[in-house]
Amino acid sequence: MPRRERLVRYWDGQAAGYDRKVASVERRLLADSRRWVCRRATGSTLEVAVGTGLNLPYYPDEVDLVGVDWSPRMVRATRQRALGLGRAVTLMPADATALPFADGRFDTVVSTFALCCVPDERAALAEFVRVLRPGGSLLLADHVVASNVLLRTLQHLVDLVSVPTQGEHYTRRPLNTLRHLDLTVVASERLTYGAIERVHARRTT
C-alpha cells in the first residue's frame, strides 16, 4: 500500500477516539496555543489538517472559515463538532501539499499540531503561502524539536518508532523552513522546554 494511503487510513482509524486519547495533553499543553493562534485569525480563513475540529471554539465569530483534512473521517468528526457548536464552516477532504484553492484566496491560513504529520513539510508550507493573499497571516502551532537537550534526545528516539508507524515527527521545527519562504515572522513563542512553538508570520508579497 502506498505510504500516503496508509497514513490516511491510520488517521481515519484514529478519528472516533482521538478526542478521548488526547484529552489530558490537550487540556494541559495544547489548548492555550490553539487559543493564541485562532484569536489572530481574520477574514477568510483556511485551517489545514482540521482534525476533529478542536480549534473551532477559539475562532472569532466573524471569521469565514474553511477547513480541510486528508482524512475523510476527521472531516466528518469536525462537521459534527461544528453542528454542536453552531459554527458555520465549509469542510472538505484535501491534502496539505496540494490545496484545491486559487493563489491568494485567503486572508489567514492556520495549522496546529499537524505539520508534524505531513510527509513533506516544506511542500505544505509552500502551499500555505501560495493560497495566502499578500499581507495575509500564517498562524502555526506545533510540537517541535526541544531546546532542552534531554528532551531533544528522547524526541530523536521516539522518531525512530513514530515516523515509520504513524508518520509523526518530533524533531522538526517549521519556523526554520518559514525563514526561506516569502514571509516575515511577526511573533513566535516557545513553551514546554522549547518543545511547543507557535508562530505568526505574514506573506510579504
Side-chain angles (χ1 to χ4, degrees), residues 23-138:
S24 177
V25 173
E26 180 68 31
R27 184 175 59 255
R28 291 185 294 109
L29 298 177
L30 308 186
D32 186 62
S33 289
R34 295 187 189 278
R35 188 178 297 107
W36 187 95
V37 163
C38 294
R39 72 184 183 188
R40 293 166 181 254
T42 59
S44 179
T45 296
L46 172 67
E47 182 175 341
V48 182
V50 70
T52 61
L54 290 170
N55 285 335
L56 293 184
Y58 303 115
Y59 284 108
D61 292 340
E62 63 272 16
V63 163
D64 180 14
L65 186 61
V66 177
V68 300
D69 200 289
W70 67 353
S71 162
R73 291 187 185 177
M74 288 286 190
V75 170
R76 287 200 292 271
T78 298
R79 185 168 287 114
Q80 289 302 309
R81 173 170 265 120
L83 286 171
L85 292 171
R87 173 87 213 195
V89 54
T90 301
L91 295 164
M92 65 188 75
D95 192 314
T97 61
L99 296 172
F101 306 107
D103 296 358
R105 163 70 173 77
F106 295 98
D107 300 303
T108 307
V109 174
V110 170
S111 182
T112 60
F113 305 104
L115 278 170
C116 51
C117 296
V118 174
D120 190 337
E121 176 198 64
R122 194 186 192 289
L125 287 168
E127 275 290 270
F128 298 177
V129 175
R130 180 186 68 78
V131 302
L132 264 181
R133 66 166 178 80
S137 291
L138 176 61

Side-chain angles (χ1 to χ4, degrees), residues 121-180:
E121 176 198 64
R122 194 186 192 289
L125 287 168
E127 275 290 270
F128 298 177
V129 175
R130 180 186 68 78
V131 302
L132 264 181
R133 66 166 178 80
S137 291
L138 176 61
L139 302 169
L140 306 174
D142 222 316
H143 62 73
V144 301
V145 62
S147 53
N148 177 275
V149 64
L150 294 178
L151 182 52
R152 188 164 66 244
T153 300
L154 177 61
Q155 288 174 315
H156 281 285
L157 293 174
V158 172
D159 266 5
L160 296 175
V161 177
S162 64
V163 174
T165 58
Q166 60 196 57
E168 187 161 8
H169 297 254
Y170 284 84
T171 55
R172 287 177 170 175
R173 193 180 179 199
L175 182 61
N176 291 335
T177 303
L178 291 184
R179 297 188 192 284
H180 301 286

Side-chain angles (χ1 to χ4, degrees), residues 1-12 164-165:
M1 182 187 300
R3 185 166 185 262
R4 182 191 180 284
E5 183 179 344
R6 178 170 57 81
L7 290 173
V8 170
R9 287 194 178 187
Y10 171 82
W11 289 106
D12 271 348
T165 58

